[in-house]
Amino acid sequence: MSQPSAPGTSGGDTVSARELFGTKWGFVLAAVGSAVGLGNMWRFSYIAAEGGGAAFLLLYIVMVLLIGIPLMLCELTVGRKTHLSPIGALRQLGGKAWVPLGFLFVVTGFLILSYYSVIAGWTMRYAVEGITTGFPAAPGEYFGQISEGASAVWWHLGFMVLTMAIVMVGVQKGIERAALILMPTLFLIIVGLAVWAGTLEGAAEGYAFYLVPEWGELMDGTVLRQAAAQAFFSLSLGMGAMLTFASYLSRDTDLNQEAVTISFADFGVAFLAGLVVFPVVFALGLQGDVSESTVGALFISLPGAFAEMQGGRVVGTIFFVALAVGAITSAISLLEVVTSSIIDELGMVRRNAAISAGVVIAIIGVLSALSIDVLGLADQIAGDLFLVIGALGMSVFVGWFMKDPAAELARGAGTTFSRFIPAVMFLIRFVLPPVIAVVLWFAGRDAWNAIWEFFGVALGG
Ligand code: PHE
């Protein structure tokens, strides 16, 4: 297949016909925008609460440092070196045998965005509800009504249209500009909310629930799997999103520094989100609901709390607006993986590529909008299992098959970071594959069980 925008393979600095990020901050913010999203708030807080509070937090930090950052470096080097989207990049550096991994990335992007957009749709709806009528007094019932069915479909489609519109416009004018405005806004909002939450009565109990370690939980394979998969999901790793963004980078950027910046920013927002969620939930005595379901804390307890507390409507609206902002910058990156692959592989123009990909994803997503069980299953399969498979493939590729990745990592690296490169290479070759393989075992087991359960319930009535 032809690669219309493929640059030369010689490693030169000229990149014909490929749009690049206009500024260094443009890339960093777009990548942070990809990382920071519903995962930080919707997934992180409930997984942390279930997984043993501070003990989980520590495990998570270890995962980010030991696995997340090296894996991000794998994706960034491959993207920056080839200036191609995942399929073409893997073909160029690894030959035909690695093309399926690129396809897996694209499929994962399709699947994740299809349900991610449904959740983002709920988020937008809450934000609008906050502005127009206030939060519902019976949030559980309300959520039951809006989370599945026709109205969920409409909000999902609306969110997809928004995402498509930005991706259609292109890297600099669409993605970069959106990130430059939206990301700093989101940061300020989250910091403000965390400060506010600290003033609530009951905040101390919330902090205790979130931050007191329960070490016993850590020995559980599921918790280990969740910490790793959550790190991948939250850092947008294992499906080529970072690879794709790095393909719009010029060759002289310091990848090490950027990987560290992106990872810390992402962890920071996740941690802060916990500092908002738990005090609010405890202030109103709603802790029983938190771990009941994946969506309980965010879409039931919180709106319930906002409905009851003074000033809750304003703060709540701001919270859901921030969440929607995070969701859109992440959705952009998911759609960009698919879009750029279509542009590179099929030679379509950007606008048509974004529209065709977006329409297909929107249609698949209708299934998740109609049934929350489908949504949960899709998340378990794509968000947990596929990301882990992709991460394993990526680490094996860069560690063992790519030619001289260390040299590529060293390009543009400052002296401080250059010193870490041998250690990073060691992690990529000898630590990532075995650790991720163990995680894959548990992820496979849990996904398998979830599939059986799903069809058991579906068939059994
Ligand atoms: N990192 C995003 C979030 O936390 C989700 C995402 C996953 C985006 C994979 C791109 C790729 O919400």
Side-chain angles (χ1 to χ4, degrees):
M1 202 160 284
S2 68
Q3 298 163 20
S5 57
T9 55
S10 56
D13 275 10
T14 42
V15 199
S16 56
R18 196 170 186 83
E19 200 187 348
L20 299 179
F21 280 108
T23 60
K24 175 184 151 67
W25 280 105
F27 166 73
V28 173
L29 288 178
V32 171
S34 167
V36 172
L38 296 171
N40 298 59
M41 302 175 223
W42 153 65
R43 255 168 157 252
F44 185 79
S45 39
Y46 86 85
I47 293 182
E50 268 180 9
F56 179 87
L57 220 57
L58 279 181
L59 178 66
Y60 183 76
I61 292 174
V62 170
M63 285 290 177
V64 169
L65 293 178
L66 223 59
I67 314 261
I69 293 180
L71 194 62
M72 184 173 298
L73 284 168
C74 292
E75 291 205 18
L76 295 183
T77 35
V78 170
R80 187 185 62 169
K81 186 174 167 83
T82 56
H83 283 129
L84 285 172
S85 50
I87 299 176
L90 287 163
R91 183 191 295 117
Q92 189 181 89
L93 299 181
K96 271 212 191 84
W98 288 93
V99 168
L101 182 60
F103 273 106
L104 175 70
F105 288 168
V106 175
V107 170
T108 309
F110 257 93
L111 275 177
I112 294 187
L113 185 52
S114 76
Y115 69 85
Y116 198 85
S117 160
V118 174
I119 305 170
W122 304 337
T123 309
M124 286 203 305
R125 176 167 192 157
Y126 274 107
V128 170
E129 214 79 46
I131 296 168
T132 54
T133 55
F135 292 101
E141 222 168 277
Y142 178 81
F143 181 71
Q145 285 164 7
I146 66 135
S147 57
E148 298 175 309
S151 80
V153 171
W154 286 116
W155 285 94
H156 150 67
L157 295 179
F159 182 82
M160 280 306 299
V161 168
L162 215 63
T163 308
M164 274 151 67
I166 297 175
V167 172
M168 259 166 55
V169 178
V171 177
Q172 276 198 20
K173 289 213 189 90
I175 298 175
E176 182 166 353
R177 193 175 295 171
L180 279 173
I181 301 170
L182 296 178
M183 289 326 290
T185 315
L186 174 79
F187 268 116
L188 291 181
I189 293 178
I190 288 288
V191 170
L193 286 172
V195 171
W196 165 82
T199 65
L200 296 175
E201 218 171 296
E205 276 168 89
Y207 292 146
F209 179 70
Y210 182 32
L211 298 175
V212 170
E214 281 173 47
W215 301 107
E217 304 283 347
L218 288 193
M219 304 326 288
D220 187 335
T222 297
V223 173
L224 176 74
R225 186 268 293 169
Q226 280 180 322
Q230 174 60 19
F232 298 156
F233 188 92
S234 191
L235 293 169
S236 306
L237 296 174
M239 50 79 61
M242 291 296 165
L243 190 165
T244 305
F245 273 3
S247 76
Y248 304 117
L249 269 181
S250 66
R251 286 261 158 74
D252 49 14
T253 32
D254 184 339
L255 295 183
N256 307 277
Q257 191 181 3
E258 317 229 312
V260 171
T261 312
I262 298 164
S263 305
F264 276 78
D266 183 65
F267 175 75
V269 173
F271 183 70
L272 283 171
L275 292 183
V276 179
V277 170
F278 293 108
V280 174
V281 165
F282 273 79
L284 283 237
L286 297 168
Q287 48 273 27
D289 306 341
V290 174
S291 53
E292 230 166 59
S293 74
T294 59
V295 290
L298 210 53
F299 292 101
I300 300 176
S301 309
L302 275 184
F306 290 138
E308 280 181 44
M309 63 181 46
Q310 258 211 333
R313 184 165 165 190
V314 176
V315 177
T317 304
I318 297 174
F319 178 83
F320 282 104
V321 168
L323 206 57
V325 166
I328 193 125
T329 51
S330 299
I332 291 171
S333 73
L334 287 160
L335 185 58
E336 180 62 20
V337 170
V338 182
T339 303
S340 71
S341 303
I342 297 178
I343 298 173
D344 285 355
E345 293 297 311
L346 303 180
M348 249 192 220
V349 296
R350 172 168 283 276
R351 196 197 50 196
N352 296 350
I355 294 178
S356 1
V359 166
V360 176
I361 294 170
I363 293 172
I364 303 176
V366 168
L367 293 174
S368 290
L370 291 177
S371 154
I372 205 168
D373 292 331
V374 172
L375 189 159
L377 188 68
D379 180 45
Q380 179 127 38
I381 292 176
D384 279 346
L385 183 61
F386 284 7
L387 286 186
V388 175
I389 299 175
L392 182 60
M394 200 66 208
S395 64
V396 170
F397 176 70
V398 173
W400 298 96
F401 290 89
M402 184 178 163
K403 229 175 81 198
D404 209 358
E408 186 60 28
L409 277 174
R411 257 190 120 97
T415 40
T416 332
F417 282 114
S418 298
R419 258 181 266 140
F420 287 102
I421 291 175
V424 168
M425 282 312 302
F426 177 83
L427 289 175
I428 293 174
R429 305 189 83 176
F430 298 105
V431 176
L432 264 60
V435 173
I436 302 175
V438 171
V439 170
L440 179 58
W441 166 260
F442 291 114
R445 184 197 66 179
D446 291 351
W448 180 251
N449 290 338
I451 292 171
W452 275 109
E453 198 179 313
F454 178 82
F455 285 107
V457 171
L459 296 178

